[in-house]
Amino acid sequence: MSPDGGLVPVDPSTAVTVKRKTTKSSRSWISIDATGQRTVLDEDKYAIMHRVQIHARDLRILDPNLSYPSAILGRERAIVLNLEHIKAIITAQEVLVRESSDENLIPALEEFQRRLPVVQGDAEAGEEDESPFEFRALEVALEAICSLLAARTTELETSAYPALDELTLKISSRNLERVRKLKSAMTRLTARVQKVRDELEQLLDDDDDMADIYLTRKLAGLSSSISVSDEPLWYPTSPTIGSKISRASRMSLVSVSGNDENDVEEVEMLLEAYFMQIDSTLNKLTALREYIDDTEDYINIQLDNHRNQLIQLELMLSSGTVCISMYSMIAGIFGMNIPYTWNDEHGYVFKWVVGLTGTFCAVLFVIVLSYARFKGLVGSWWSKENKQG
């Protein structure tokens, strides 16, 4: 606003600059190298693609604004990881994690910093952790995800089982609403666990995909096979050519390491360990779902039993109403203002009419209930009432 109170036009270049800064900050990445050093990178997608040498279609999988399924993809120089709250690119030297506001990402980043540096073992024995960097990074990511889902499952079990037991003891609107919310949470959690399990199972079923995760061996094989050539290993401008070169390089690596029977044994053992953990979590959720289904069946049986009791009570009341209506009919006939000869001995006749009509209605009521019991209409409840009486 100008000093005289008027509005000052905004410079379009300034507005564009502000918008670009906002977009840029929303695409921040966190880099963690083999020493555990953490660095925040404010780079656009083209810089990230050039840094880790992946294509745009792989980078889109990690876009938080887009909905992509869970994925663990092995590329020529990197592993693209999209599982739960961890969206990362793992190379043989560093891990790039897309920055997010999810609070569960903070412990995962701390674990990356703590466990990615090479751990020295017994000094006398000279042992050390010789696992490739990408395996250590992948293990940290899988452990963080599996542990989080297991913790959510344990919390759900702690809340669900007492709520279900309380519902079986007392069916009320409050308990029903509580169980409904828990069942919705269980359904969402089961879908999350199932996605991670399916991705690990799909990866374990394909040896080529597991071999693609072994970045250190691929880089060693590529460096030895093209040591005399200065050609670049990655062609970002042509996905088709890049995929052909990637496939040819993979075939050359397979031919070099074809004599090694334990080619993917290490990565297979790593994936199987977390597959068993996530499968155990899924089994717990399946058992909880079965318990909920059993509780629903039990509640439906109880409601059906109460409904049957109400129907039996309604049948008894209807039978009694019919009998009483016959008694009322006789009383109405005698209450008509019509001259008849019984008026002279009304006391004597009144006793007979009342006694015979009441007896007839009672006998009719017993006959109706006996017939209903014979047909099974008032079975267990009527017998139970008679025994208690």
Side-chain angles (χ1 to χ4, degrees), residues 283-300:
N283 290 335
K284 291 181 181 179
L285 292 173
T286 303
L288 179 58
R289 176 180 291 277
E290 292 177 353
Y291 194 82
I292 291 177
D293 294 338
D294 294 340
T295 303
E296 290 179 348
D297 293 339
Y298 177 75
I299 292 174
N300 290 331

Side-chain angles (χ1 to χ4, degrees), residues 71-81 83 89-93 131-139 142 199-219 246 250 253 263-272:
I72 303 177
L73 304 177
R75 294 296 182 251
E76 193 65 39
R77 296 293 188 89
I79 301 173
V80 180
L81 179 69
L83 293 178
I89 302 174
I90 302 173
T91 67
Q93 296 85 19
S131 298
F133 174 83
E134 64 271 17
F135 283 7
R136 299 199 302 273
L138 182 61
E139 183 177 5
L142 292 177
E199 183 60 30
L200 291 178
E201 184 178 16
Q202 182 180 358
L203 195 59
L204 284 168
D205 290 339
D206 196 328
D207 290 345
D208 292 336
D209 290 342
M210 287 190 289
D212 287 339
I213 295 178
Y214 217 138
L215 302 179
T216 303
R217 185 177 61 213
K218 288 196 301 182
L219 290 178
S246 175
R250 187 188 309 170
L253 286 178
D263 192 22
V264 294
E265 181 179 359
E266 187 175 358
V267 65
E268 186 176 7
M269 292 175 61
L270 172 65
L271 295 175
E272 280 183 350

Side-chain angles (χ1 to χ4, degrees), residues 360-373:
F360 175 77
C361 292
V363 171
L364 181 61
F365 182 72
V366 172
I367 292 174
V368 172
L369 290 183
S370 299
Y371 178 78
R373 182 181 177 185

Side-chain angles (χ1 to χ4, degrees), residues 3-19:
D4 57 354
L7 296 177
V8 178
V10 179
D11 187 3
S13 61
T14 305
V16 173
T17 303
V18 173
K19 184 176 181 182

Side-chain angles (χ1 to χ4, degrees), residues 182-208:
L182 290 173
K183 186 176 181 180
S184 299
M186 183 205 64
T187 302
R188 292 192 296 268
L189 183 58
T190 302
R192 293 168 58 187
V193 173
Q194 187 69 49
K195 289 179 181 179
V196 178
R197 182 189 180 278
D198 291 344
E199 183 60 30
L200 291 178
E201 184 178 16
Q202 182 180 358
L203 195 59
L204 284 168
D205 290 339
D206 196 328
D207 290 345
D208 292 336

Side-chain angles (χ1 to χ4, degrees), residues 55-57 235-245:
H55 296 291
R57 61 176 178 270
Y235 298 83
T237 58
S238 178
T240 304
I241 297 177
S243 62
K244 290 181 179 179
I245 292 177

Side-chain angles (χ1 to χ4, degrees), residues 105-214:
L105 185 61
I106 299 177
L109 294 176
E110 294 176 353
E111 283 296 305
F112 277 121
Q113 290 183 272
R114 185 178 68 87
R115 296 173 57 181
L116 285 183
V118 177
V119 179
Q120 298 295 332
D122 190 355
E124 297 179 358
E127 296 178 354
E128 64 179 11
D129 186 3
E130 296 181 355
S131 298
F133 174 83
E134 64 271 17
F135 283 7
R136 299 199 302 273
L138 182 61
E139 183 177 5
V140 172
L142 292 177
E143 183 176 347
I145 293 167
C146 293
S147 300
L148 175 64
L149 294 177
R152 294 291 182 268
T153 301
T154 302
E155 294 176 1
L156 185 61
E157 287 179 327
T158 304
S159 303
Y161 283 112
L164 293 170
D165 294 338
E166 185 179 355
L167 181 61
T168 56
L169 297 176
K170 182 180 179 181
I171 302 176
S172 62
S173 300
R174 174 180 170 274
N175 292 337
L176 288 172
E177 180 64 20
R178 182 183 177 188
V179 172
R180 185 192 66 81
K181 292 180 179 179
L182 290 173
K183 186 176 181 180
S184 299
M186 183 205 64
T187 302
R188 292 192 296 268
L189 183 58
T190 302
R192 293 168 58 187
V193 173
Q194 187 69 49
K195 289 179 181 179
V196 178
R197 182 189 180 278
D198 291 344
E199 183 60 30
L200 291 178
E201 184 178 16
Q202 182 180 358
L203 195 59
L204 284 168
D205 290 339
D206 196 328
D207 290 345
D208 292 336
D209 290 342
M210 287 190 289
D212 287 339
I213 295 178
Y214 217 138

